[in-house]
Amino acid sequence: MTMRLLLINPKFPDSFWSFKWAVSEVLPNKRTTNPPLGLATLAALCPSDWEVEIIDENVEPVPLEPNADLIGICGMGVQFPRQSELLTYYRSRGHKVVAGGSYASLCPENYEGIADFVIAGEAEHIWKQFCTDYQMGIPQTLYKETGTVELVDSPTPRFDLLKLDRYSSVTLQFSRGCPYRCEFCDIIVMFGRKPRVKPLEQVGQELDALRKQGVVRVFFVDDNLIGNRPACKKLLQFLKEYQDKHNYRFSFGTEASLNMAADTELLKLFRDAGFGWVFIGIESPDPASLKETLKTQNMNQDILGSIAKIYSFGIEVLAGFIIGFDNDTIETFEAQYTFITASGIQAAMVGLLHALPKTPLYERLEKAGRLRPFEHDQDNSKLGTNVLPLQMDYDAMVDGYRTLYQRLTTDENIALRMRNKIRQMGPPVFTGGFTQREGLAILARLFFKGIVPGGISRIALFLGTFPLRRPELLALWVSDWITGLSMQGYVKQHFAAANADQGVIERRVAAVRRALAGYLEAGKVTLSFRQPDLALSMKALVDGRFFQRAAPGLERLLKHTRARLTLRIDAMPAQQQEHLSLMLSRLARYGDRVSIIVDEKVRSLIRIDSSVFNLVLAGPEERSTRT
Ligand code: SF4
């Protein structure tokens, strides 16, 4: 009998990286940034007679009653709460479940009791072994890679199983491992410090597969593409020749270390191969902080000068910054603000220092008793961290972080950074990768959905940054505004003070209560409110009018405040699905703040898109231990 395997990528929590506003409002038909490359690789490693399906919960709902013999669920640290919820749910329904991904690789012990099998480490050999053992009925509970995987053993991912048109770019991997030793980094814990690379023919085959699918924007997800510099140079030459030979323009981007700026030949190769942007871990402009965290490759150079040099080759820079090193003080926030503004980097991902499990930083701080509990301890874009700083009060540091981002995401600062960048930018490699028609549609959506709502002053700043004398920078101008406004939206939503909109929430909740008064009095629904959470429970059957009355008030509550809504459905006749769907379509824009709990007995009657809303699958006990 054919084995049916379902592979699931759980939904990521909303973060800066989601670029939620950009993908939902401005980019055409996109749902998120990148597809789950690991699952597509895993699918290619399965026996040829297995039927494999991939569901990415970031772009489509997970099935509640899957038709599968085995379910594999991957996850990074930030996905662990949802990954464990899905594993528990499917397991409780009698499915065999297998956990994998980077978090399972680092912390396989955390899956005890929630997964039948765990794949820990690079999957190329151990996944194949697991498949063989599973078919023979002798699977082990843990498969741990202890040796070195050569990337020649990594097959072309099954891109055909991904809904590629829903992503703003598609991912590819050339190498694993990085030669450096940044103290906070878990990459080198997983992949080691000796970069291993794929043969170029193999990269060519993967590009062929993407070309056939009409993919244009490709993100090389290597943690440091220049980790093995001679091999990287050969790759870049190969990519240039590939593009010329096929008369095809892939628009590439990647991650690399800052010392790429010192190698002019390398920069030329990047430009000629079609790399329009690079993400760089800059972390700090302060050499003492860099030294402390062993980021030595960023030292002994003028960092602003290095960024300017990369710009001069027409390559856009995105960057990561960290605050909270032992050397950092409250003044560090001002220094980072000044640096980021001068650098012109629009996609500036600033995070508080987080200690990820199994890293040298984690071990050092654990020994020193400087770790604190933190709900989002895998996500450094949240307001808080699991690290107790040395030279700052913790609360003052969190406040400093909030203020820094509020300053960086004002309209004025978005415009100022753009001007600072445009001045230094050479003829850009990045052209957006969209057709002229798509590009105009994106510009129109940006203008009407992003610029106009900001009023006259934003329109003036937008037009003031228009590169009139350099029309080749048009795509960069549009993409910088999209990036800036996306980040501004995230900050407004997540970084405001806890009680900032308390009064407005209370008024909006009172309006919802008035609209539903009849149903509340009849005991058909209950409403409870504890700032900023509103819980609406449907206890008994309601009519279609209920949804019509509830929708406008709930929509206004979510639109004008940062309130969260939990909708609990204990009873609902099947014929009300349409009314429920209409109400949910009005709330979909705020779906990441809407949790929906559907009672077991009506679950088969109700369709909820878990890629839009937080569809709660864990029972109350599991939920309370996780929050
Ligand atoms: S350069 Fe990047 S990938 Fe390499 S060790 Fe440092 S943080 Fe990790």
Side-chain angles (χ1 to χ4, degrees):
M1 209 175 71
T2 309
M3 265 289 297
R4 290 161 307 174
L5 169 69
L6 172 62
L7 295 172
I8 297 179
N9 183 36
K11 192 153 73 171
F12 282 94
D14 195 19
S15 76
F16 282 116
W17 294 102
S18 323
F19 288 106
K20 194 170 169 229
W21 181 77
V23 288
S24 62
E25 301 289 324
V26 185
L27 299 176
N29 310 318
K30 304 298 175 202
R31 294 290 310 275
T32 190
T33 47
N34 302 308
L37 183 67
L39 291 188
T41 307
L42 216 57
L45 290 162
C46 289
S48 57
D49 59 341
W50 282 25
E51 267 176 24
V52 187
E53 184 186 5
I54 296 178
I55 296 280
D56 179 2
E57 203 187 17
N58 297 287
V59 302
E60 60 195 317
V62 290
L64 297 185
E65 302 293 339
N67 183 18
D69 303 305
L70 177 66
I71 300 178
I73 305 178
C74 69
M76 294 160 53
V78 290
Q79 291 168 291
F80 181 63
R82 186 61 175 169
Q83 182 191 26
S84 59
E85 187 176 4
L86 290 169
L87 287 164
T88 306
Y89 172 79
Y90 289 122
R91 201 169 185 225
S92 71
R93 271 157 178 71
H95 293 280
K96 288 288 178 201
V97 292
V98 49
S102 61
Y103 193 65
S105 300
L106 284 170
C107 305
E109 65 279 4
N110 289 358
Y111 291 81
E112 214 180 297
I114 55 172
D116 296 297
F117 319 105
V118 178
I119 305 296
E122 294 172 64
E124 277 76 6
H125 303 317
I126 52 179
W127 177 254
K128 276 187 166 173
Q129 186 59 51
F130 167 71
C131 293
T132 307
D133 291 353
Y134 191 79
Q135 274 184 316
M136 290 170 66
I138 50 165
Q140 298 162 36
T141 50
L142 174 65
Y143 289 77
K144 193 169 171 55
E145 180 54 76
T146 51
T148 307
V149 171
E150 294 304 335
L151 296 198
V152 69
D153 295 328
S154 193
T156 298
R158 290 283 309 274
F159 293 116
D160 58 305
L161 296 180
L162 301 168
K163 284 108 187 154
L164 293 178
D165 55 337
R166 299 185 190 181
Y167 302 92
S168 56
S169 63
V170 177
T171 40
L172 205 71
Q173 188 180 46
F174 170 61
S175 66
R176 288 181 200 157
C178 173
Y180 300 112
R181 51 194 184 110
C182 308
E183 192 193 22
F184 54 82
C185 178
D186 59 353
I187 299 299
I188 42 179
V189 179
M190 268 186 299
F191 296 137
R193 292 187 49 215
K194 187 166 180 283
R196 292 155 284 137
V197 302
K198 271 183 191 162
L200 296 178
E201 313 80 69
Q202 210 170 322
V203 176
Q205 284 158 15
E206 297 188 20
L207 290 173
D208 288 346
L210 292 179
R211 198 161 44 86
K212 278 194 194 112
Q213 307 241 13
V215 169
V216 176
R217 288 171 297 283
V218 173
F219 170 26
F220 276 84
V221 285
D222 305 48
D223 298 293
N224 185 357
L225 192 72
I226 68 165
N228 178 336
R229 200 173 295 200
C232 175
K233 288 186 175 176
K234 281 189 191 142
L235 169 78
L236 297 173
Q237 270 151 356
F238 171 81
L239 292 176
K240 179 185 181 317
E241 285 159 21
Y242 184 97
Q243 306 245 50
D244 292 346
K245 183 172 159 203
H246 295 282
N247 194 20
Y248 194 87
R249 281 323 280 176
F250 279 113
S251 174
F252 295 125
T254 194
E255 301 181 329
S257 45
L258 183 62
N259 49 349
M260 69 186 281
D263 190 335
T264 303
E265 183 200 4
L266 185 69
L267 290 174
K268 276 188 194 144
L269 287 167
F270 265 112
R271 178 190 62 197
D272 296 345
F275 278 77
W277 60 268
V278 59
F279 180 93
I280 296 174
I282 292 174
E283 324 309 3
S284 175
D286 186 336
S289 298
L290 294 172
K291 188 174 175 198
E292 168 197 322
T293 198
L294 304 176
K295 194 120 198 163
T296 49
Q297 66 275 25
N298 285 14
M299 293 171 63
N300 304 321
Q301 62 185 298
D302 162 20
I303 299 182
L304 284 178
S306 296
I307 295 166
K309 186 167 174 197
I310 298 171
Y311 283 153
S312 73
F313 281 81
I315 300 169
E316 157 75 318
V317 176
L318 293 65
F321 299 88
I322 296 176
I323 300 179
F325 296 118
D326 291 357
N327 174 66
D328 289 351
T329 65
I330 212 73
E331 276 80 48
T332 302
F333 290 99
E334 188 59 35
Q336 288 272 22
Y337 174 80
T338 307
F339 178 89
I340 292 168
T341 304
S343 75
I345 296 170
Q346 200 67 246
M349 303 300 188
V350 189
L352 291 175
L353 181 70
H354 267 59
L356 297 171
K358 311 286 163 83
T359 57
L361 175 71
Y362 191 98
E363 282 163 21
R364 175 167 71 84
L365 295 183
E366 192 176 38
K367 267 190 212 136
R370 287 180 49 207
L371 292 177
R372 61 184 295 283
F374 181 57
E375 186 190 338
H376 308 283
D377 65 357
Q378 299 290 320
D379 185 349
N380 79 342
S381 67
K382 293 284 184 283
L383 263 183
T385 171
N386 63 351
V387 171
L388 283 169
L390 199 61
Q391 299 202 62
M392 286 178 265
D393 172 67
Y394 176 82
D395 290 334
M397 180 175 76
V398 172
D399 266 352
Y401 180 54
R402 185 201 318 266
T403 309
L404 172 66
Y405 251 129
Q406 286 168 338
R407 292 174 72 196
L408 282 173
T409 52
T410 60
D411 291 354
E412 289 73 17
N413 192 277
I414 292 171
L416 178 56
R417 272 185 283 165
M418 207 175 298
R419 279 192 223 101
N420 287 344
K421 173 162 41 189
I422 283 175
R423 260 205 320 274
Q424 309 176 61
M425 200 75 188
V429 181
F430 176 77
T431 55
F434 294 101
T435 63
Q436 199 177 29
R437 200 173 155 175
E438 285 171 337
L440 283 172
I442 290 171
L443 177 58
R445 281 194 290 268
L446 166 65
F447 187 72
F448 291 109
K449 294 183 170 194
I451 304 299
V452 171
I456 295 291
S457 65
R458 187 178 294 166
I459 294 173
L461 287 165
F462 179 68
L463 296 177
T465 51
F466 180 74
L468 195 58
R469 295 202 195 112
R470 298 193 56 196
E472 74 273 17
L473 293 175
L474 205 70
L476 189 73
W477 172 64
V478 171
S479 106
D480 260 27
W481 273 105
I482 294 173
T483 302
L485 292 179
S486 259
M487 296 184 74
Q488 185 188 78
Y490 182 85
V491 168
K492 278 188 180 156
Q493 190 57 53
H494 297 272
F495 280 25
N499 57 359
D501 51 5
Q502 188 170 351
V504 189
I505 294 185
E506 281 165 5
R507 282 199 300 280
R508 297 281 173 200
V509 169
V512 173
R513 202 179 283 283
R514 279 195 301 277
L516 301 180
Y519 298 93
L520 288 164
E521 278 157 26
K524 291 188 172 181
V525 299
T526 61
L527 206 56
S528 66
F529 172 60
R530 212 171 101 197
Q531 166 81 16
D533 295 303
L534 177 67
L536 172 61
S537 296
M538 295 161 56
K539 300 276 179 206
L541 299 182
V542 290
D543 54 10
R545 245 179 105 237
F546 165 81
F547 297 101
Q548 287 163 7
R549 293 190 70 82
L554 293 177
E555 186 183 12
R556 278 195 286 270
L557 171 75
L558 293 166
K559 182 175 180 185
H560 297 293
T561 73
R562 293 170 307 112
R564 293 186 299 244
L565 170 68
T566 300
L567 184 62
R568 184 175 181 106
I569 307 175
D570 289 339
M572 205 186 84
Q575 61 268 30
Q576 300 300 1
Q577 167 74 41
E578 199 185 322
H579 291 107
L580 172 70
S581 299
L582 279 174
M583 182 179 87
L584 291 181
S585 67
R586 293 182 68 163
L587 309 184
R589 228 170 137 181
Y590 320 100
D592 59 300
R593 283 184 286 137
V594 179
S595 298
I596 303 180
I597 305 168
V598 183
D599 190 86
E600 185 80 45
K601 58 184 181 296
V602 285
R603 202 169 262 163
S604 60
L605 304 175
I606 296 174
R607 291 185 304 278
I608 306 288
D609 186 341
S610 71
S611 70
V612 175
F613 300 100
N614 304 314
L615 179 60
V616 179
L617 297 170
E621 267 173 38
E622 290 139 331
R623 277 201 304 281
S624 63
T625 56
R626 222 170 275 133
T627 53

